[in-house]
Amino acid sequence: MLQRGVHYIEPSRAVATVVHGLLAVGLIGAVGAGLLLRSDYWPPAVPRPSSMVPDWAILGGTGLAVLLIASAVVNGRRWRTMRRIVRLSRDPALGPALPPGQVVTGGPFVSTPPPLRVQIVRPPRFRQRPGPLRRVTETSNVLGRPPLSIVYLRVFENQPRARTFVRGAWREFGHVHLLRSAAAMSPAQFRAVRRAGALGPLFVSSPEDLRRRLDRALTEPQRPGWHTLDTVAGSTVWTFDRFGAYPVDSIFCHADSWQTALDHLLARADLVVLDLSGYRTKNKGTQYELQRIVDTFPVSRVVLLADPWSNVRYLEGEVRAAWQRMDVRSPNARLGSQTVPLALTDYYLEVETQPAGRGGPAPTQTLLKASRAQSRWLLARAHRVLEHAPQHLAPAPTVAPLSAPPPYAGSDHGHTGEEVDPVRHVPWRGGLAAVTVVGATALAVWLAAPALLSSGVPASVAGLYNVREGPSTSTADIGDVGPGDRLVVACVTDDWARLEQPLPGGFVSTERMTFAESPPHC
């Protein structure tokens, strides 16, 4: 089932690498053809076009090709890093000391689950404060209440929504815990981990290690101002937190144990936020998370998210299908009728990338933007619900199997783990990128310099003239020029002008020829 929206506004790293690389190759070919057309190396057997490629087209094409090459290199490096981390997460040598994850339960199921209402909520997008806001502290959030423990789950390929989530107000209300995707580690961070020889500790190694990491995440909040987050999405996210914010705890897990880590997160959560934006039936990992929430966590303390372009009916059907497969040990089986909100957050913005062309609309780019007013409204509503919601009811204990069950085969998560703190500032990385771009631009300008920095004199003719091989009518005719043609004269000898353009090396009579300035003598 396809979801409209987020899958189309930002291509995957693999698609961006291939497409930008092909476009760069095409532009380089076009610029090279333009330079060849303006040089003396044009094949004599091929007819030369009458019009030359303008200077602005060559310079613009060169600059765009450099940008596309840089984009292909950046996306390709991140794609390669992501694939390497995913392979490591499946390496038995780095296998989990955590118990293997739960599989989707095969029953027994609740014969008649309690009634469930999926409430479609559209939070106000514009400024609407839920009350007096204050600076967050270790003991009180932006509303002056105890900070929440928020677990954020989402479709891993949906990087735009991960960025808008941390740009919202969620971190003003409590600590955010999430399972980190392989795409969220930059090549520089991965190199730092390899140099430290910490590929083993990259993953959560034991229940004690997981518990220690979760406890360590409960640090003091960040001060008001600008902050960077580089462990959530596929790139560094800048946020401005006027009232301060609580840190984000992102955990890497082995592919065989992320389900166990999910259970530990749910056991500690005050509020679970499941983002179904971009969810499709093939996203088995998100489907597992939805079912696990239904089976182990009170849905009165769950907020479901979607974007304005989501197929709401499809998502509601998926939620109800998971509800019908409820395990008999689920706390929701003992809570009666329940309501779970499905909130449509964020908004799409069309931005013009270039001015409108003649006779056509301006090219645009679709961006996904966050609204803090929406997340504040949702969290204030969640606070009111939590005051009356039942405490977390753990499912009834189950008998451990004699042999560990196989990992959930349909997982779409490349969860991996991290012990080394992320490398936020690599001083040489920006300099290397700048040197690369400047060097490529300088090379392109150097190649174009013979055509762009010509010493010839522009000229024009009032009639149709033959172009000769030499300064005489007895020499062979190699073409003609006329009014409207762009002529560049290298020099004059007697009554003949030697051309640089459009037929380099050819001679034209200076009769009824007008020069922009006096050309030199040959």
Side-chain angles (χ1 to χ4, degrees):
M1 179 66 187
L2 294 179
Q3 289 285 353
R4 184 187 176 205
V6 291
H7 289 293
Y8 303 100
I9 66 172
E10 182 175 315
S12 66
R13 296 291 182 183
V15 173
T17 301
V18 174
V19 172
H20 291 178
L22 292 177
L23 289 176
V25 171
L27 274 175
I28 292 173
V31 170
L35 293 176
L36 182 63
L37 179 63
R38 302 172 60 160
S39 69
D40 296 335
Y41 300 102
W42 185 266
V46 180
R48 188 187 296 265
S50 57
S51 59
M52 295 292 103
V53 179
D55 297 347
W56 63 265
I58 291 181
L59 288 176
T62 302
L64 184 58
V66 171
L67 292 177
L68 287 172
I69 291 173
S71 175
V73 170
V74 170
N75 283 287
R77 291 175 68 238
R78 282 193 171 270
W79 179 28
R80 180 170 176 267
T81 300
M82 181 185 68
R83 289 173 58 86
R84 295 174 71 181
I85 295 174
V86 170
R87 285 197 298 269
L88 287 173
S89 72
R90 297 169 180 168
D91 188 352
L94 303 175
L98 285 174
Q102 291 266 353
V103 295
V104 174
T105 171
F109 302 120
V110 176
S111 58
T112 306
L116 175 68
R117 178 191 175 200
V118 180
Q119 181 183 12
I120 310 301
V121 179
R122 300 179 185 273
R125 198 178 88 185
F126 301 102
R127 185 180 298 276
Q128 183 176 346
R129 292 188 175 182
L133 305 181
R134 63 197 70 187
R135 179 173 172 176
V136 302
T137 66
E138 291 188 40
T139 57
S140 63
N141 60 23
V142 73
L143 292 183
R145 301 177 181 177
L148 301 173
S149 177
I150 303 172
V151 173
Y152 176 54
L153 307 172
R154 80 282 187 200
V155 178
F156 269 13
E157 301 94 30
N158 196 342
Q159 302 299 332
R161 287 284 286 193
R163 285 192 285 270
T164 57
F165 179 85
V166 295
R167 286 182 177 138
W170 305 94
R171 295 176 301 111
E172 296 176 352
F173 286 74
H175 300 270
V176 174
H177 305 275
L178 55 89
L179 297 174
R180 186 176 177 184
S181 69
M185 175 172 274
S186 69
Q189 293 171 352
F190 185 67
R191 284 196 303 271
V193 172
R194 289 183 65 90
R195 282 197 298 266
L199 289 180
L202 185 68
F203 310 103
V204 173
S205 58
S206 66
E208 293 73 22
D209 183 25
L210 177 60
R211 192 176 302 110
R212 177 173 53 84
R213 296 191 190 201
L214 294 176
D215 292 337
R216 187 181 60 186
L218 302 179
T219 58
E220 62 181 23
Q222 298 169 323
R223 296 178 177 272
W226 285 99
H227 302 105
T228 59
L229 300 169
D230 55 5
T231 62
V232 177
S235 58
T236 300
V237 183
W238 286 84
T239 66
F240 181 79
D241 304 306
R242 180 181 176 185
F243 303 99
Y246 295 96
V248 175
D249 175 37
S250 56
I251 302 172
F252 270 130
C253 298
H254 197 274
D256 290 345
S257 63
W258 67 268
Q259 299 96 331
T260 301
L262 172 64
D263 288 343
H264 280 270
L265 291 177
L266 294 179
R268 288 170 168 248
D270 297 316
L271 179 70
V272 173
V273 181
L274 176 59
D275 194 343
L276 295 176
S277 172
Y279 169 75
R280 295 178 284 186
T281 307
K282 72 174 186 178
N283 299 123
K284 300 299 183 182
T286 308
Q287 190 177 58
Y288 175 88
E289 291 170 342
L290 174 60
Q291 189 65 58
R292 199 67 184 151
I293 290 172
V294 170
D295 290 341
T296 64
F297 197 82
V299 296
S300 57
R301 296 160 56 192
V302 174
V303 175
L304 304 178
L305 299 182
D307 64 85
W309 286 356
S310 295
N311 188 335
V312 177
R313 288 188 177 181
Y314 166 70
L315 296 179
E316 182 179 354
E318 289 293 296
V319 173
R320 293 191 179 280
W323 189 258
Q324 293 299 318
R325 295 191 298 268
M326 182 189 301
D327 189 271
V328 293
R329 297 168 295 242
S330 170
N332 295 295
R334 311 192 293 273
L335 292 178
S337 178
Q338 295 294 307
T339 299
V340 59
L342 177 58
L344 306 182
T345 58
D346 297 345
Y347 60 96
Y348 290 97
L349 183 65
E350 296 285 342
V351 179
E352 291 187 2
T353 56
Q354 295 178 7
R358 295 180 179 179
T364 61
Q365 180 183 5
T366 303
L367 302 177
L368 187 66
K369 295 291 185 178
S371 169
R372 291 216 170 191
Q374 289 182 330
S375 47
R376 284 189 182 129
W377 186 88
L378 279 173
L379 282 162
R381 178 183 183 276
H383 262 300
R384 293 192 297 270
V385 172
L386 290 175
E387 291 175 354
H388 306 286
Q391 296 298 315
H392 185 79
L393 299 176
T398 57
V399 178
L402 295 178
S403 59
Y408 183 51
S411 169
D412 66 329
H413 285 347
H415 295 300
T416 49
E418 174 193 37
E419 175 68 25
V420 179
D421 291 336
V423 181
R424 293 183 178 273
H425 302 286
V426 182
W428 55 265
R429 182 172 57 181
L432 180 61
V435 169
T436 303
V437 173
V438 171
T441 304
L443 178 61
V445 172
W446 180 77
L447 292 175
L452 300 180
L453 303 178
S454 172
S455 60
V457 176
S460 61
V461 293
L464 186 65
Y465 286 83
N466 292 329
V467 180
R468 306 283 182 173
E469 285 186 346
S472 171
T473 56
S474 62
T475 58
D477 184 358
I478 61 174
D480 56 65
V481 294
D485 289 341
R486 182 177 181 272
L487 277 65
V488 178
V489 175
C491 59
V492 295
T493 175
D494 297 332
D495 295 330
W496 293 87
R498 186 165 66 87
L499 298 178
E500 278 191 4
Q501 295 180 23
L503 298 174
F507 287 82
V508 178
S509 173
T510 57
E511 182 182 357
R512 299 177 65 188
M513 179 178 286
T514 304
F515 301 97
E517 57 183 81
S518 298
H521 290 279
C522 297

